Amino acid sequence: QLELEESGGGSVQAGGSLKLSCSASGFSAYSRACLAWFRQAPGKKREGAALIGANGQTVYADSVKGRFTISRDNAKNTLYLQMNSLKPEDSATYYCAAASSYRDWPPSIADVRYWGQGTQVTVSS
């Protein structure tokens, strides 16, 4: 049974930092998967924030570029999102997602094969 489990969310003040982690279990093809962090604020669509391919290539949404860093440790089956200089508009539930590939940017939720349960990030001004 494949599972993705996020951790590291919480509440911070604007300008602060958080590091999210997403651990995968039961995922033998993890190193070949394309991984992404999506986020969803109340009343808004779920959107891709950052993506990392199996080859380590990364893509970021303009809204997080220069502030967020996505990385992966295939030996630990873990995906990370380092978030710096956080803004109130970054407040959302953050989800890790795994796919065989993402056809385009921004990534489509239709391409996602596995989702984590989500972790809440709240940034206060």
Side-chain angles (χ1 to χ4, degrees):
Q1 184 78 8
L2 190 146
E3 291 186 356
L4 300 176
E5 184 173 2
E6 300 98 337
S7 61
S11 298
V12 295
Q13 289 192 325
S17 298
L18 284 173
K19 186 173 184 176
L20 306 183
S21 299
C22 174
S23 296
S25 58
F27 199 164
S28 60
Y30 184 86
S31 63
R32 299 193 296 274
C34 193
L35 306 172
W37 286 98
F38 286 75
R39 63 184 185 179
Q40 187 169 19
K44 295 191 175 181
K45 294 191 305 182
R46 192 171 297 190
E47 62 178 12
L51 180 158
I52 184 166
N55 61 1
Q57 185 176 6
T58 58
V59 185
Y60 296 93
D62 287 343
S63 58
V64 308
K65 201 173 293 182
R67 300 186 298 120
F68 290 11
T69 302
I70 188 172
S71 61
R72 63 192 295 169
D73 185 336
N74 291 335
K76 296 181 178 180
N77 278 16
T78 302
L79 176 70
Y80 302 100
L81 186 68
Q82 176 67 47
M83 304 185 294
N84 298 328
S85 303
L86 282 162
K87 305 175 180 180
E89 51 264 43
D90 294 319
S91 297
T93 301
Y94 283 71
Y95 300 88
C96 64
S100 298
S101 64
Y102 290 101
R103 290 170 289 177
D104 205 351
W105 179 268
S108 169
I109 60 174
D111 290 332
V112 176
R113 190 170 179 190
Y114 303 106
W115 289 101
Q117 83 287 352
T119 185
Q120 180 68 38
V121 171
T122 303
V123 185
S124 58
S125 57

